[in-house]
Amino acid sequence: MSISNFMRHLCNLSVLRVNMRILQGASSPGKLVNTQDKTLKGLSNSTAAMTSLKEICRGLPLHPLPENRGRRKGVPHAPVRTPNLTAQEKKLALRNALRYFPPDIQKILALEFAEELRLYGHIYMYRFFPDIEMRAYPIEEYPCKTKSAAAIMLMIMNNLDPSVAQFPQELVTYGGNGQVFSNWAQFWLVMHYLSEMTEEQTLVMYSGHPLGLFPSHQYAPRLIITNGMVIPNYSTRDEYEKMFALGVTMYGQMTAGSYCYIGPQGIVHGTVLTVLNAGRRYLKVEDLSGKVFVTSGLGGMSGAQAKAAVIAGCVGIIAEVDEAALLKRYKQGWLMEISNNLDHCIARLRDARKNKIALSLGYHGNVVDLWERLVYELDTTGDLLVDLGSDQTSCHNPFSGGYYPVQLSFEEAKQLLSTSPGKFRTLVQESLRRQVAAINRLADKGMFFWDYGNAFLLEAQRAGADVEKRGANKTEFRYPSYVQHIMGDIFSLGFGPFRWVCTSGDPQDLATTDSIAMSVLEDSIRTGVSASVKQQYHDNIRWIREAGRHSLVVGSQARILYSDQRGRVSIAVAINRAISEGKIKAPVVLSRDHHDVSGTDSPYRETSNIYDGSAFCADMAVQNVVGDAFRGATWVALHNGGGVGWGEVINGGFGLVLDGSTKAEERAKMMLSWDVSNGCLDGPRFCLRL
């Protein structure tokens, strides 16, 4: 497709024409780094990097083209996708990829893009993988006309930081398929647009595609993102694989495609609260020492489980089939020990359990083997060695690398996934049935298991596993969702995964915000709150104290804190005033997981305990995003998919930049209030949670 035809196509879609200066690109980015002695993170500091932030913002590097080095070795890569495109669809995917480039460049790129599609099932444009240390740079280093744009750039680069991202070269942040962008051309174009943005413009994003800068005003969002907004009748997994391969839609997960991920810490606090409240509800204890929590998954968000187990004070055994993911968490200090020997794992479990030692042990192997070994221990010794159990594999994406069958090694399974996806699917479903059978055996003897909102029970049911709850509605299973029995009551109080990022990159700024948050919570307790809210505030204070001691920062200087409307507004106001007074050196970005009080309509997770029949309605998430947009959010995002899978959920999120101004305080008060109250005050619907 020629550039002129592409321009006409864009006009037909009522979108802004692509800026030709961006398509023509900038001057050469300079000599390329030798991949034999450099990692994906590039050189050791920003001044030495061959590509600077200024060069990143100049547009696509086309004259000359950077060298095509393909997939880098020694780093994790996304599984090969199998979209099963027809010959005509392959041509269309290629034309769609080439539309970002002028005619003289298209001839060079066509063959390699076609080869990427053949080998990997998607065109990632590896040639344009930036030769820069990808990380969250201090906000002052970004060449922008507005701090809001610089903050967004910081958040994007944090999402793609190899220490944060699951598959950085494929632009996947977490969950196996949570994309930041669909390809690297989009990254370069977005960074350029953000560098040119003023306070009277808004950048519009369609599933990774930057449509351009539109006239706006200073009170409007600087960025509007939609991901995966597919017509409901066509929002199926098979259709998604085709549309993603074509480059026309994208699975943004939750905070991947909204540029708000903060590494595994983003789920640690929620996991700590879940484990603590599981102990309170199921085991009737406040102290979890000596209690054993068994689960799986250490890749993306699931990587938080090991750290959460230790903070909660229990023995955590977490299975992971991917050695690279296991070693990554171990090197980051999120796992205390690792082993590929089940005999050793059982011995360590018994010792830690007996001596009440807080432990996180990563088992390099399939979780089904671990569950079946625990059944064997029960049958041969009479010992029930596990108290609490769950699963955090990426089961929302079970047939494309989110769940690996126990019958094969990891490498064998990856090979089968690309060569025989139908056989792979059959083995996955058989593996799910075996896993559930082992869980059921242990649960019958007193272990308490819950679904962690990753569609594990949903996919197990579809596989024919024994998870039925007789007489229940279709969102309920033999085991509860963690929202239904553990976190639902907390959500009903307005508590959810509130976050902030210190854009200075200075750990001292983060320490200052921690201190501010703790003071706000203590003051709130003194002035009086209900008993249930008081319990959550005490848990939050405990969390902040523990967070500083457990090296939770991976990537940006960020913190997560489950807080209610009163807490969020008060903390935001206090942080904004600290910026104004110079106690915090640079702006702070507020955000949250989309998995929140009013951000997500998800009948198998967030709204699984809504019993008035509206669990499958998506009004709340859409109203959340619309309301946030005109109440002061710096950016908003609306997604299909996230957590439980494509077509199963609609979710929304936001980013809000605090710069110390009175306008920022006003925006925080208006927007944060709506962001919570939209979920807590939704008529009788949410009263039915309780």
Side-chain angles (χ1 to χ4, degrees):
M1 180 185 289
S2 69
I3 289 297
S4 60
N5 285 339
F6 174 51
M7 293 301 180
R8 284 196 292 272
H9 176 61
L10 287 182
C11 290
N12 288 337
L13 293 176
S14 298
V15 297
L16 188 68
R17 66 178 181 83
V18 177
N19 188 305
M20 284 302 296
R21 184 163 64 87
I22 305 174
L23 286 173
Q24 291 166 357
S27 58
S28 169
K31 184 178 178 181
L32 295 166
V33 180
N34 186 335
T35 58
Q36 293 181 349
D37 56 11
K38 303 296 177 187
T39 67
L40 276 180
K41 285 181 73 71
L43 299 176
S44 59
N45 59 69
S46 60
T47 57
M50 292 299 180
T51 301
S52 69
L53 288 175
K54 287 184 179 180
E55 289 171 321
I56 286 287
C57 293
R58 287 176 183 168
L60 279 163
L62 302 179
H63 303 291
L65 284 171
E67 177 187 352
N68 181 18
R69 292 176 288 171
R71 280 194 171 193
R72 310 291 174 89
K73 295 181 179 180
V75 295
H77 289 287
V80 173
R81 311 189 77 95
T82 53
N84 297 318
L85 300 181
T86 65
Q88 188 61 35
E89 287 168 337
K90 290 176 183 177
K91 292 179 182 178
L92 180 58
L94 187 59
R95 288 200 299 270
N96 287 344
L98 292 172
R99 62 190 178 181
Y100 293 104
F101 305 93
D104 60 317
I105 303 296
Q106 290 182 12
K107 294 179 182 179
I108 300 172
L109 299 178
L111 288 177
E112 70 186 57
F113 285 178
E115 184 71 355
E116 283 187 22
L117 184 62
R118 184 183 71 82
L119 292 175
Y120 310 119
H122 188 73
I123 300 171
Y124 296 105
M125 305 184 185
Y126 290 118
R127 178 189 289 270
F128 296 97
F129 179 77
D131 180 26
I132 192 173
E133 181 181 354
M134 192 70 72
R135 64 180 175 86
Y137 290 83
I139 193 170
E140 296 295 337
E141 296 186 22
Y142 290 94
C144 292
K145 298 178 180 179
T146 167
K147 287 291 176 64
S148 295
I152 296 168
M153 295 171 84
L154 179 154
M155 300 290 280
I156 289 172
M157 294 190 74
N158 185 70
N159 267 26
L160 294 169
D161 181 338
S163 68
V164 174
Q166 187 178 10
F167 305 125
Q169 262 205 294
E170 288 74 48
L171 303 110
V172 173
T173 300
Y174 68 91
N177 60 349
Q179 302 286 148
V180 183
F181 301 109
S182 182
N183 57 59
W184 284 105
Q186 293 170 355
F187 168 83
W188 287 87
L189 294 172
V190 166
M191 295 298 277
H192 175 81
Y193 277 131
L194 289 170
S195 72
E196 294 290 311
M197 175 187 285
T198 71
E199 284 290 325
E200 294 183 342
Q201 291 175 316
T202 295
L203 175 61
V204 177
M205 299 292 299
Y206 273 20
S207 289
H209 296 282
L211 270 68
L213 296 172
F214 287 79
S216 188
H217 57 84
Q218 61 178 320
Y219 296 104
R222 301 278 71 80
L223 173 65
I224 304 287
I225 304 167
T226 54
N227 285 312
M229 291 291 106
V230 173
I231 303 302
N233 250 11
Y234 308 93
S235 187
T236 65
R237 285 176 178 164
D238 289 342
E239 290 287 349
Y240 171 72
E241 290 298 334
K242 282 181 178 270
M243 286 187 282
F244 180 59
L246 291 174
V248 296
T249 198
M250 188 182 88
Y251 188 81
Q253 264 284 359
M254 289 190 160
T255 52
S258 65
Y259 322 145
C260 293
Y261 192 60
I262 61 168
Q265 181 192 173
I267 197 174
V268 174
H269 191 195
T271 309
V272 169
L273 290 175
T274 300
V275 175
L276 286 176
N277 285 293
R280 289 165 181 158
R281 182 182 182 101
Y282 299 135
L283 308 180
K284 310 302 180 185
V285 298
E286 286 286 339
D287 183 2
L288 289 177
S289 13
K291 303 300 181 183
V292 177
F293 172 46
V294 171
T295 185
S296 58
L298 287 166
M301 295 181 73
S302 58
Q305 296 181 106
K307 181 68 77 173
V310 174
I311 293 175
C314 64
V315 180
I317 312 295
I318 305 96
E320 172 58 61
V321 295
D322 186 349
E323 185 178 28
L326 192 81
L327 292 175
K328 181 177 181 178
R329 297 307 175 206
Y330 181 65
K331 291 174 182 177
Q332 289 174 341
W334 287 64
L335 268 174
M336 295 168 66
E337 299 177 19
I338 56 177
S339 174
N340 62 2
N341 186 298
L342 274 175
D343 290 338
H344 176 76
C345 289
I346 295 300
R348 286 295 292 126
L349 184 160
R350 286 183 178 276
D351 178 69
R353 180 172 176 255
K354 177 182 177 181
N355 295 296
K356 297 188 175 182
I357 299 169
L359 171 68
S360 59
L361 171 61
Y363 166 56
H364 180 212
N366 197 291
V367 71
V368 180
D369 287 327
L370 177 58
W371 282 120
E372 291 181 341
R373 176 57 183 270
L374 290 166
V375 171
Y376 173 81
E377 294 294 321
L378 174 65
D379 290 342
T380 57
T381 70
D383 293 336
L384 178 65
L385 297 180
V386 53
D387 302 284
L388 301 170
S390 192
D391 185 277
Q392 269 201 34
T393 54
S394 294
C395 224
H396 68 279
N397 185 37
F399 310 123
S400 299
Y403 181 99
Y404 286 92
V406 67
Q407 303 92 325
L408 302 175
S409 71
F410 181 53
E411 293 302 323
E412 289 171 339
K414 287 199 297 182
Q415 180 66 24
L416 185 67
L417 174 59
S418 63
T419 59
S420 183
K423 179 67 179 300
F424 182 85
R425 176 187 292 256
T426 298
L427 292 181
V428 163
Q429 293 188 321
E430 180 184 313
S431 186
L432 283 167
R433 291 194 295 270
R434 281 176 57 179
Q435 182 171 345
V436 168
I439 290 168
N440 288 350
R441 179 83 172 85
L442 296 165
D444 287 343
K445 293 298 181 179
M447 178 195 72
F448 296 93
F449 184 88
W450 68 88
D451 183 284
Y452 224 129
N454 60 337
F456 172 73
L457 291 180
L458 180 62
E459 290 304 327
Q461 180 191 55
R462 290 168 175 169
D466 182 14
V467 294
E468 181 184 356
K469 181 179 180 181
R470 299 188 187 284
N473 65 48
K474 60 183 178 180
T475 65
E476 293 183 284
F477 301 97
R478 175 172 179 165
Y479 304 106
S481 155
Y482 79 120
V483 174
Q484 288 173 309
H485 274 199
I486 303 171
M487 296 297 286
D489 290 351
I490 295 174
F491 276 9
S492 295
L493 295 170
F495 284 83
F498 180 56
R499 301 172 179 177
W500 61 85
V501 176
C502 298
T503 66
S504 66
D506 188 343
Q508 184 54 51
D509 274 357
L510 183 60
T512 300
T513 61
D514 282 347
S515 178
I516 288 171
M518 195 177 306
S519 296
V520 167
L521 295 175
E522 290 170 341
D523 288 344
S524 295
I525 291 172
R526 279 193 294 270
T527 57
V529 292
S530 68
S532 54
V533 170
K534 185 176 182 179
Q535 173 69 67
Q536 298 308 316
Y537 278 7
H538 280 303
D539 283 349
N540 283 347
I541 291 169
R542 170 183 174 177
W543 160 256
I544 293 174
R545 286 174 178 156
E546 292 289 336
R549 293 171 32 208
H550 281 271
S551 302
L552 293 175
V553 169
V554 176
S556 60
Q557 292 294 318
R559 185 67 72 227
I560 181 171
L561 180 73
Y562 265 67
S563 190
D564 59 351
Q565 178 177 328
R566 174 179 175 177
R568 297 186 204 199
V569 173
S570 299
I571 291 169
V573 169
I575 287 175
N576 192 62
R577 291 176 182 175
I579 297 169
S580 176
E581 294 165 2
K583 296 176 182 177
I584 298 173
K585 291 178 282 298
V588 170
V589 175
L590 303 183
S591 185
R592 57 162 171 78
D593 194 345
H594 295 198
H595 159 66
D596 196 16
V597 178
S598 81
T600 301
D601 286 297
S602 177
Y604 292 99
R605 194 165 77 177
E606 284 82 359
T607 50
S608 60
N609 60 341
I610 302 301
Y611 303 124
D612 69 346
S614 66
F616 291 86
C617 299
D619 302 82
M620 183 178 67
V622 175
Q623 289 287 356
N624 172 268
V625 170
V626 173
D628 284 357
F630 65 73
R631 287 180 174 88
T634 307
W635 72 94
V636 291
L638 185 66
H639 297 177
N640 171 15
V644 296
W646 182 259
E648 304 284 0
V649 52
I650 299 294
N651 59 86
F654 76 89
L656 175 64
V657 178
L658 299 178
D659 59 9
S661 67
T662 56
K663 290 181 180 178
E665 180 173 324
E666 291 170 2
R667 291 182 178 192
K669 289 177 179 178
M670 281 193 297
M671 199 224 77
L672 292 175
S673 294
W674 171 253
D675 194 63
V676 177
S677 63
N678 175 53
C680 289
L681 302 178
D682 188 15
R685 183 182 185 209
F686 273 71
C687 295
L688 295 171
R689 283 185 185 275
L690 301 174

